[in-house]
Amino acid sequence: MALLVVALLFVALLGACARSPAPVRFHADGSPRTLAEWGVLQSDGTRLRLAGGVLPYDLNTPLFSDYAHKLRTVWMPAGTAAQYRADDSFAFPVGTIISKTFYYPRAGGAAAANAVLKADATPDERIGDGLDLTRVRMIETRLLVRREGGWAALAYVWNDAQTEAVLSRAGASLPLQLVAQDGGGTDFTYQVPDQNQCAGCHASNNTTRAIAPIGAKARHLHRDYAYANGSAPQLQRWQQVGYLTGAPAAAATPRNADWRDGARASLDARARAYLDINCGHCHNARGPADTSGLLLDSSVVSTRQLGICKPPVAAGQGTGDHTFDIVPGQPAQSILVYRMRSLDPGAMMPELGRDLIHEEGVALVSEWIGAQNGRCDSET
């Protein structure tokens, strides 16, 4: 009898070990074939769980990606921390792994197999700090990995069973149908970026061309997050778990507006936050679009640099035959709105990351331009 009890205890211990989440595994070089080899996220096809020490986070205003929802996480090796910077991305230690999982709510009902729902994120998508995979369709997970030589970008595409994600160096095109609340559907192609496109977006310094995180800046992260054990200020939580040093008091930390929060933020603050995250990583004084003269990051105060009554540097189809980047009071005559509404690869902005028009974003920027006063010289 005693031997039977010991045997049963041994089997139970083995089962417990089998169920324990594997630790995060940082790869100092190479490109692991599967996401599971990093150990950051674990899926059994029903639940997506975060490994120990993996911290979820969100942004005040996120980048638009064809209405996809995103689960963002960060992990750092024990005993290391990011150094706070007021304006730029934090200085992350070697070994940092930042993940961003793109997913959609399932359309359900009689919708097509490739149908996903256009809807705001809701608490029922979550299980703890992970995801309820019975309610969502995962598309891809992108990693930014801080190695000795700098950041590396890797994209992993999830299989239909949502049990494994495989490295996709060349990117991928996934046909989907976006279903609105009224039942209407729009076919589109979700584009998983290739490695060059990942590097192109994250190389926000046109001189060094070094890859860096876009969202991991104080002004984007200074907000509360609904963790599994309750809501708390994100930057405070980062400090509590040892992931951030050198941060000032909350009152001295910059904060971008939530672009949707018209009750607590001004129209100007919301539009500037939207342009900052969607356009500012290229349209800044050091970015790939620096020669355009149009600067849209949050630090810009010059109305001319913001595009108000500024002619484009180079004429062409990107102007839509309009004369100025922004015409006060006239969004329909502004190049900025034209390019946001375009799906032409030679004119659309942003150039990558979307196959759909962000109607709500266009409406916000149009309202912002419409509220501006003034008149441009030679305005027609």
Side-chain angles (χ1 to χ4, degrees):
M1 186 68 174
L3 289 176
L4 177 60
V5 171
V6 170
L8 289 173
L9 286 173
F10 181 71
V11 170
L13 286 171
L14 284 178
C17 291
R19 292 192 298 272
S20 298
V24 175
R25 297 179 295 281
F26 172 71
H27 298 267
D29 52 36
S31 302
R33 189 185 74 85
T34 67
L35 181 65
E37 292 173 65
W38 293 93
V40 174
L41 305 173
Q42 293 126 25
S43 171
D44 60 7
T46 301
R47 295 185 176 190
L48 183 72
R49 295 180 174 88
L50 279 55
V54 176
L55 190 65
Y57 70 93
D58 210 344
L59 311 183
N60 282 311
T61 291
L63 180 75
F64 174 71
S65 305
D66 282 341
Y67 295 100
H69 297 192
K70 299 165 189 176
L71 173 64
R72 299 173 177 83
T73 73
V74 62
W75 176 88
M76 298 175 215
T80 67
Q83 178 64 39
Y84 178 89
R85 290 172 175 168
D87 300 315
D88 292 332
S89 299
F90 297 158
F92 288 92
V94 171
T96 299
I97 303 173
I98 294 175
S99 82
K100 183 163 63 172
T101 297
F102 295 71
Y103 67 95
Y104 292 90
R106 293 185 181 276
N114 67 338
V116 294
L117 192 63
K118 178 185 176 183
D120 292 335
T122 58
D124 62 7
E125 296 174 356
R126 304 275 294 276
I127 294 180
D129 286 328
L131 293 174
D132 181 353
L133 301 186
T134 66
R135 293 180 177 272
V136 305
R137 173 173 174 175
M138 292 195 295
I139 304 297
E140 59 163 325
T141 294
R142 301 178 195 172
L143 298 185
L144 277 180
V145 183
R146 181 66 171 87
R147 291 169 167 166
E148 287 285 354
W151 290 94
L154 303 165
Y156 292 84
V157 179
W158 285 92
N159 63 8
D160 290 341
Q162 306 197 125
T163 55
E164 184 179 64
V166 177
L167 181 68
S168 180
R169 292 187 178 87
S173 298
L174 307 176
L176 297 173
Q177 183 183 73
L178 190 70
V179 178
Q181 296 290 346
D182 63 6
T186 301
D187 293 332
F188 73 105
T189 301
Y190 182 98
Q191 298 290 346
V192 177
D194 61 37
Q195 286 188 317
N196 289 335
Q197 290 171 326
C198 282
C201 278
H202 283 275
S204 55
N205 187 312
N206 205 32
T207 301
T208 66
R209 302 301 297 166
I211 296 175
I214 293 172
K217 301 180 177 73
R219 64 184 183 269
H220 301 311
L221 296 172
H222 185 17
R223 54 162 290 163
D224 287 355
Y225 187 89
Y227 298 99
N229 61 354
S231 182
Q234 280 189 152
L235 294 182
Q236 183 182 90
R237 180 62 60 89
W238 284 42
Q239 293 174 83
Q240 288 172 344
V241 302
Y243 278 0
L244 182 63
T245 62
T253 305
R255 185 201 300 262
N256 269 14
D258 179 340
W259 72 281
R260 298 162 298 186
D261 191 0
R264 290 186 293 185
S266 69
L267 173 60
D268 182 71
R270 291 184 292 122
R272 289 296 306 273
Y274 182 89
L275 293 171
D276 183 23
I277 192 65
N278 282 280
C279 314
H281 53 284
C282 283
H283 285 273
N284 66 75
R286 299 174 299 174
D290 58 349
T291 58
S292 70
L294 179 64
L295 306 181
L296 298 173
D297 62 302
S298 64
S299 66
V300 176
V301 295
S302 165
T303 57
R304 187 76 165 185
Q305 290 179 325
L306 276 175
I308 298 174
C309 296
K310 187 189 82 62
V313 171
Q317 70 185 81
T319 70
D321 295 325
H322 301 312
T323 307
F324 301 104
D325 290 338
I326 293 177
V327 181
Q330 299 186 53
Q333 299 303 316
S334 301
I335 297 171
L336 181 61
V337 171
Y338 168 76
R339 300 194 79 169
M340 288 177 66
R341 289 205 65 84
S342 178
L343 292 175
D344 184 333
M348 65 185 286
M349 285 289 171
E351 297 175 304
L352 301 172
R354 71 177 180 93
D355 194 52
L356 297 169
I357 298 166
H358 189 196
E359 298 291 352
E360 297 81 3
V362 172
L364 173 67
V365 174
S366 295
E367 184 182 0
W368 175 63
I369 294 174
Q372 296 173 15
N373 297 316
R375 183 177 175 84
C376 302
D377 294 338
S378 304
E379 186 178 315
T380 57

